[in-house]
Amino acid sequence: MKQVYLIALVIVLIVCSAIQSTNGQAIDTSTKLEAEIGKIIREYYAAFSRRDVVGTSAIWADDGFSYSTEAGYETNRQVKEFVGGYLRSPMAGLVKESYEVEDLKVFAVTADTAMANYMIVSKSEQSGVTDIRRDRTTNVLVRRNRNWQIIA
């Protein structure tokens, strides 16, 4: 079942990346869009580092979903609940975490839909042990009420 969701996500991403115009108009693929999306993504990871539950929840669209190798398919509501629970837990206070977004690429799909692909470098320190992890991430974002949110 997890493979079906992963295959579906890959197909959606391929189709979205192939779309080049909306209503015959060229899509804005400017650096302005990349800066706007990059700022939002970086703010999310900064909120995570600060243990800011509200700041981390704002980026996830309630009607979206997520797929990861660790958790499989989850609705964005489940993601918000899990992240909020972790950030409120005593364990979160024992781990010092920081994040860096590298190699960000943003692709406009429509005027209000974009894909972001980037490398997230996670550094965590606990009990004198440092762990550095590099993960490639792809998000599909939608703009609603002038705000970008992750839908997938």
Side-chain angles (χ1 to χ4, degrees):
M1 188 67 156
K2 290 180 184 178
Q3 290 175 338
V4 172
Y5 289 117
L6 182 59
I7 291 169
L9 179 60
V10 169
I11 290 170
V12 167
L13 295 175
I14 290 169
V15 170
C16 289
S17 66
I19 296 173
Q20 295 298 315
S21 65
T22 303
N23 298 329
Q25 301 291 324
I27 297 172
D28 178 16
T29 58
S30 69
T31 55
K32 180 182 175 192
L33 177 65
E34 190 165 299
E36 189 176 348
I37 298 289
K39 180 180 179 202
I40 291 161
I41 290 170
R42 286 179 177 90
E43 285 174 356
Y44 168 77
Y45 287 106
F48 197 95
S49 294
R50 291 189 313 270
R51 311 285 187 251
D52 178 356
V53 175
V54 174
T56 58
S57 293
I59 197 169
W60 297 100
D62 283 339
D63 57 337
F65 72 94
S66 178
Y67 184 88
S68 69
T69 55
E70 293 89 6
Y73 174 85
E74 295 179 293
T75 67
N76 282 357
R77 288 178 191 216
Q78 290 171 310
V79 171
K80 286 186 197 185
E81 288 173 17
F82 175 80
V83 170
Y86 169 74
L87 294 178
R88 289 184 198 100
S89 75
M91 183 181 167
L94 300 175
V95 181
K96 181 181 177 188
E97 297 169 307
S98 63
Y99 302 89
E100 267 187 66
V101 175
E102 295 180 351
D103 192 29
L104 174 67
K105 294 176 184 70
V106 175
F107 307 93
V109 178
T110 69
D112 293 321
T113 307
M115 288 177 34
N117 180 272
Y118 53 94
M119 180 72 68
I120 186 70
V121 181
S122 310
K123 182 179 178 182
S124 62
E125 296 177 37
Q126 183 176 12
S127 303
V129 178
T130 301
D131 181 48
I132 299 175
R133 185 173 161 170
R134 301 174 64 81
D135 295 297
R136 177 64 60 184
T137 301
T138 300
N139 298 125
V140 178
L141 297 98
V142 292
R143 183 174 18 212
R144 296 178 176 159
N145 300 319
R146 300 183 184 176
N147 296 312
W148 286 100
Q149 290 186 302
I150 296 173
I151 192 91

